[in-house]
Amino acid sequence: MARKPIVRIIGSLNIDFVTLTPRVPGPGETLEAKSMTVHAGGKGSNQAVACGKAAYTSATEQDVQVEMLGAVGAGDPYYASLLKPTLAKSGVGTRYVEEVEGVQTGTATIIVDEGSNGENRILFVPGANHHVTDVAKVVATATQDGVPDVVVMQGEIPKSTVLGLLSTFNGPEEEDDGHRQKEKKKKKKTCVVFNPAPMFDGIPLAALRNLAVLVVNETECLLLFKAVQELRDIETPSSGDDGSLAPHLDRLTAHLHELAAISIVIVTLGSRGLYYSAAQTRTQSRSRGLIPAAKVAKVVDTTGAGDTFVGYFSTAVARHVSGSDHGTLEGFDVHGAALRANDAAAKCVQRSGAMESIPFGYEV
């Protein structure tokens, strides 16, 4: 039996305290909220759950192996009773989650504003997530039984760790200058899907070099313009008539493909959908396009939509890479994968919660 594609998510694990309110209180104001609930969360574990659920082809079968790497507080009852079981029920392996003594599991306080169409505000306490600092140890763990097809990362673990992991996984290919170098080139290289949220201050463009997939929202995209400005004399873009960066996205992504050799760039545009751009390859010309948001009857909660998109897109990448003769993105259907991930995110926003709202693959 052929092995399943492997996706490993390196990132944060949190406990979410979600408060539902008719509006956000002003400075010094006390306001009666509707409810407060406790959920499993964290951008890393949210995306792991999205990958795990996306891998379900039926209620009992997964076609992608999904595992989480990260850290929680040792003996945390919320991890044992809530977070770990939630990951497991979503088809995510937890053998690589480290329990760290003397620190608390990361937490997020999420305020869901019903008066603003379910928009949310989040306060994040890193806890054990900021103890994920040993890059060599993380790489060794992630590759101890072989190089995964896809590694997914976000911005809720330390910046130095993320940059170190990007440098290691996305390092330049060996020069073909002899038999030994040829043998090295035959070794499989993982595809990294990076969603820098929350966006680090001053992320260098060089850190993104050779990245397989970059997923950003409009705010994060604007920050990338600043990184491009360091190398190219271009103006910071102004918003289009609809308040978006859409008129400038072709130009920005062209710079990212050229300067950082990023294979695929996706910019999520909220209620307007998403923009994607795939760099020119040996057999394909550059492709790009806008995909409108799927229409939904009612938006309940947008908390997990972005993570749902990343998870679904990442599993699509893993399926392609695993089945590719060269283990690369050559020939990958970016539009089709983005369209399905977009549909999954649309189902997510019609439900409350983060992990709970993410649909299974057989539902999309």
Side-chain angles (χ1 to χ4, degrees), residues 40-52:
K43 288 202 72 66
S45 44
N46 283 351
Q47 292 180 8
V49 165
C51 289

Side-chain angles (χ1 to χ4, degrees), residues 64-355:
V64 178
Q65 180 180 331
V66 179
E67 293 177 308
M68 180 75 208
L69 283 76
V72 297
D76 188 327
Y78 279 122
Y79 176 65
S81 65
L82 178 60
L83 187 47
K84 186 175 182 179
T86 300
L87 289 165
K89 289 176 183 177
S90 302
V92 180
T94 58
R95 59 178 172 158
Y96 299 132
V97 176
E98 182 181 3
E99 299 192 39
V100 182
E101 295 286 349
V103 297
Q104 70 180 72
T105 300
T107 64
T109 300
I110 303 171
I111 301 173
V112 180
D113 183 1
E114 284 192 319
S116 296
N117 207 26
E119 289 294 336
N120 60 75
R121 292 168 170 80
I122 302 174
L123 295 169
F124 172 52
V125 179
N129 296 308
H130 274 200
H131 285 256
V132 183
T133 56
D134 189 334
V135 173
K137 179 181 177 182
V138 174
V139 171
T141 300
T143 60
Q144 65 178 272
D145 56 354
V147 177
D149 297 285
V150 171
V151 164
V152 183
M153 294 193 295
Q154 321 76 36
E156 285 186 346
I157 59 175
K159 177 180 178 180
S160 59
T161 303
V162 172
L163 296 185
L165 292 171
L166 288 173
S167 176
T168 301
F169 285 120
N170 295 332
E173 294 184 346
E174 301 287 346
E175 293 295 330
D176 187 5
D177 59 357
H179 177 72
R180 182 177 297 178
Q181 299 293 1
K182 288 182 180 180
E183 290 301 312
K184 286 185 178 181
K185 284 195 73 174
K186 290 180 182 178
K187 291 183 179 179
K188 177 182 170 184
K189 181 178 178 181
T190 194
C191 285
V192 177
V193 177
F194 184 38
N195 173 219
M199 177 68 97
F200 299 123
D201 180 35
I203 185 168
L205 196 61
L208 305 177
R209 184 154 190 82
N210 297 321
L211 185 64
V213 181
L214 176 68
V215 182
V216 291
N217 62 26
E218 286 183 278
T219 301
E220 294 150 1
C221 183
L222 186 58
L223 292 173
L224 284 177
F225 262 105
K226 296 180 180 179
V228 172
Q229 282 178 307
E230 296 176 2
L231 299 174
R232 290 286 168 87
D233 184 20
I234 62 173
E235 296 180 359
T236 301
S238 57
S239 298
D241 293 338
D242 62 353
S244 76
L245 292 174
H248 307 280
L249 293 178
D250 284 349
R251 181 166 58 114
L252 172 62
T253 51
H255 283 301
L256 292 176
H257 293 319
E258 179 187 354
L259 297 174
I262 301 172
S263 297
I264 299 169
V265 181
I266 294 173
V267 183
T268 56
L269 305 172
S271 61
R272 295 184 301 279
L274 65 97
Y275 170 91
Y276 70 88
S277 177
Q280 181 176 343
T281 67
R282 180 175 53 84
T283 61
Q284 294 173 297
S285 59
R286 182 189 176 198
S287 64
R288 55 196 184 276
L290 283 165
I291 295 178
K295 295 185 181 298
V296 301
K298 181 183 178 181
V299 175
V300 176
D301 184 357
T302 62
T303 302
D307 295 330
T308 298
F309 181 92
V310 171
Y312 268 75
F313 196 85
S314 298
T315 55
V317 171
R319 291 184 184 108
H320 174 83
V321 170
S322 177
S324 168
D325 291 338
H326 305 288
T328 69
L329 286 168
E330 192 79 34
F332 178 55
D333 180 6
V334 178
H335 182 273
L339 191 62
R340 186 164 189 264
N342 194 45
D343 288 343
K347 283 189 177 293
C348 171
V349 301
Q350 298 177 76
R351 308 169 180 177
S352 62
M355 294 183 186

